[in-house]
Amino acid sequence: MVERTRTVAIVGGGPAGAALATYLVRDGFEVVLFAPERRPPLVVGESLVPAVIPFLRELGIEERIREQAITKRGATFTVGPEDQFCFRFTDARGAETPYSYNVPRDVLDREILGAARDAGVHILPEAAKLDRTEDSDRVQLSVDSLSATHGVLQRQPDLIVDAGGRGRLIGRLLDLPTVEGPRRDTALFSHMEGVPLVVEGDVHSDILEHGWSWRIPLPGRVSVGFVVPDEHWERYGATKEERYDTLFRSDPAVLRWGGTPRRVAPVLKYNNYQRITSRGVGPGWALLGDAFGFVDPVFSSGMLIALDGAKQLARAVRKGTPDAFGAYEAHVKRHLAAWQRVIEHFYNGRLLTLFRVGSYMRETIPGRVLDPHFRKHLPRVFTGEASTRRYSVGLTDFMCRYALAGNDPDPFRVR
Ligand SMILES: Cc1cc2nc3c(=O)[nH]c(=O)nc-3n(C[C@H](O)[C@H](O)[C@H](O)COP(=O)(O)OP(=O)(O)OC[C@H]3O[C@@H](n4cnc5c(N)ncnc54)[C@H](O)[C@@H]3O)c2cc1C
């Protein structure tokens, strides 16, 4: 790994890349950020967990995000006509930030990139191209990309960071092995008007006949996504638009939303996203954000993992030792694994069963005694404040496995 890094090239001006660039420039590094201006009409990653807020503050953009976002105070889960669980961020005992935001991605990305520009990052509005250095596990900027820096980089940078998202530029170039998650889902999403909500501002998740849905309230519209196992999509039509619209008109849980929904944007498709690259660092390179790994959309953990990773990687670059880069890699892997552990219990029905058990156990004497302890740990895993804390994650996992008081989790399982 590079020691005494001075110059860094970052591929990708999404949240991870732009945040890292800002941290590094503030620390005195010379940073070029490849951030093409062209982007899809919509991008996922609109609902933020509360633990993202301290990063927005550090980047100096919380106020501007607040003005263009919907304040989010909790999450509402619906299973069938009977069961609804409203989780308030204030339920978390000792919560440092009891709120968050739902924000369109073009706004979030523009503001984070703006912070990078203000900090003095050299932003190049084009895609980076990398080459593999012969048969080694090294990469370098292509001749064109190096010359696109217009002399800011006189030679190859000391460090290249792939923050280019799920395209996994370095991972593919170096044939780095990946570990895939257990699910084979495809998410279709778009923006709607006329979609009602149970609790204003909340992110909503409903269990569908097949898969689950999200409703994320944004200014003037609602982002609606359907996450459905691949084998079930065919029954809803041939094209992604047909599938999205048919599911909207036919799934019993969605029909129960009521309202007069109108789709006001194209439908976008995401699949094969549960993927973690086996290595996060190598000689002169590092992976960050989705380029390193992503687990699942269900608890909106992606942006937190990306921003937390940016901060940890900046720390490693500052120290510049192999141990520091190794610690960064281990930290991100642990973080991804922690979310994987609790997300599994959403899909197998155990987490929502635990919510239900918790609601009546709190009325018993032992439940009242233990409640403050549980409220300190379990909710804060999902707000992200304790998602890197082993005890909190372990307790959540343990409770999901062994504290269902004989209740069958099957009715809450995602099929
Ligand atoms: C279905 C789904 C729903 C999700 N919902 C949420 C949610 O509600 N909340 C949440 O927190 N997370 C969510 N996520 C995850 C979240 O979107 C990602 O974790 C997050 O965007 C990661 O940020 P990033 O900066 O690593 O990557 P990205 O946001 O993908 O940014 C990468 C950037 O790099 C650019 N790029 C790519 N190649 C190059 C190149 N060669 N040169 C220059 N630039 C390049 C891309 O154009 C892009 O702008 C969701 C994910 C999925 C799949």
Side-chain angles (χ1 to χ4, degrees):
M1 178 49 62
V2 185
E3 298 202 23
R4 288 210 198 86
T5 301
R6 299 309 317 157
T7 55
V8 182
I10 301 174
V11 179
L20 174 68
T22 307
Y23 291 137
L24 290 179
V25 160
R26 286 178 183 171
D27 283 338
F29 294 91
E30 190 79 65
V31 182
V32 295
L33 177 66
F34 290 88
E37 277 160 6
R38 259 191 49 208
R39 50 183 295 124
L42 302 178
V43 181
V44 288
E46 301 160 315
S47 185
L48 308 178
V49 292
V52 163
I53 302 298
F55 295 101
L56 302 184
R57 285 186 201 136
E58 268 178 17
L59 295 167
I61 57 172
E62 188 192 350
E63 283 314 308
R64 291 186 54 82
I65 295 288
R66 187 202 308 272
E67 287 161 10
Q68 303 169 80
I70 297 286
T71 300
K72 164 179 156 186
R73 303 204 181 274
T76 296
F77 294 88
T78 304
V79 191
E82 304 292 322
D83 286 289
Q84 203 150 66
F85 306 95
C86 294
F87 164 58
R88 309 289 83 218
F89 295 142
T90 46
D91 291 345
R93 204 175 125 234
E96 284 149 41
T97 317
Y99 65 89
S100 190
Y101 300 112
N102 299 313
V103 58
R105 270 301 296 273
D106 56 339
V107 171
L108 181 70
D109 288 18
R110 189 176 60 233
E111 294 301 338
I112 300 191
L113 203 58
R117 187 174 292 109
D118 292 349
V121 175
H122 301 282
I123 299 174
L124 308 172
E126 52 196 278
K129 292 198 188 68
L130 304 182
D131 296 323
R132 184 175 188 162
T133 319
E134 285 167 11
D135 235 2
S136 71
D137 61 349
R138 291 174 179 274
V139 293
Q140 59 181 19
L141 290 178
S142 71
V143 174
D144 286 350
S145 289
L146 189 59
S147 69
T149 70
H150 302 297
V152 175
L153 296 179
Q154 303 282 345
R155 55 184 180 85
Q156 288 292 330
D158 299 326
L159 179 69
I160 297 178
V161 177
D162 182 359
R166 296 186 309 114
R168 299 181 52 254
L169 193 58
I170 289 184
R172 282 187 294 113
L173 205 55
L174 298 182
D175 283 327
L176 300 177
T178 57
V179 178
E180 289 184 22
R183 298 203 52 95
R184 298 288 169 271
D185 294 334
T186 293
L188 296 185
F189 105 110
S190 187
H191 283 180
M192 310 285 296
E193 288 175 356
V195 172
L197 300 165
V198 180
V199 181
E200 287 304 314
D202 270 22
V203 60
H204 291 57
S205 300
D206 290 52
I207 306 294
L208 307 179
E209 229 168 18
H210 302 290
W212 61 277
S213 66
W214 76 69
R215 277 175 285 169
I216 300 173
L218 298 170
R221 45 179 62 186
V222 176
S223 163
V224 178
F226 300 122
V227 180
V228 172
D230 292 346
E231 69 268 23
H232 293 300
W233 269 120
E234 229 168 70
R235 75 186 60 194
Y236 296 108
T239 66
K240 57 185 191 312
E241 289 76 16
E242 209 173 272
R243 290 176 174 184
Y244 185 90
D245 295 341
T246 306
L247 193 154
F248 219 109
R249 286 194 305 269
S250 60
D251 185 276
V254 179
L255 289 173
R256 275 194 296 275
W257 297 350
T260 48
R262 281 175 315 286
R263 181 159 64 77
V264 293
V267 176
L268 280 100
K269 173 177 158 181
Y270 289 77
N271 58 1
N272 298 325
Y273 42 70
Q274 290 195 332
R275 190 180 289 272
I276 298 174
T277 308
S278 57
R279 286 171 71 189
V281 296
W285 57 262
L287 310 181
L288 176 63
D290 279 12
F292 192 159
F294 177 67
V295 178
D296 193 85
V298 70
F299 295 127
S300 308
S301 57
M303 211 56 79
L304 172 64
I305 295 167
L307 293 174
D308 175 66
K311 189 161 177 174
Q312 298 292 332
L313 183 53
R315 185 173 297 163
V317 176
R318 217 163 33 235
K319 287 191 177 160
T321 62
D323 280 356
F325 282 93
Y328 159 73
E329 180 184 77
H331 174 89
V332 176
K333 284 188 173 178
R334 261 200 318 275
H335 202 181
L336 288 161
W339 281 104
Q340 181 72 64
R341 225 168 141 187
V342 295
I343 282 167
E344 177 196 338
H345 295 308
F346 169 74
Y347 284 100
N348 65 23
R350 289 180 166 271
L351 183 67
L352 294 182
T353 309
L354 185 68
F355 276 12
R356 184 202 249 173
V357 171
S359 64
Y360 64 76
M361 285 303 276
R362 270 192 288 277
E363 306 305 319
T364 66
I365 291 171
R368 270 205 293 276
V369 173
L370 289 171
D371 188 53
H373 185 68
F374 292 144
R375 282 198 299 114
K376 182 172 170 200
H377 293 283
L378 273 60
R380 289 174 68 232
V381 170
F382 299 98
T383 63
E385 284 179 359
S387 58
T388 52
R389 302 214 180 129
R390 281 171 217 256
Y391 178 76
S392 303
V393 174
L395 181 65
T396 307
D397 185 30
F398 179 87
M399 297 297 287
C400 286
R401 284 177 196 276
Y402 305 112
L404 302 190
N407 284 271
D408 179 8
D410 201 56
F412 289 173
R413 192 160 62 84
V414 179
R415 283 157 222 284

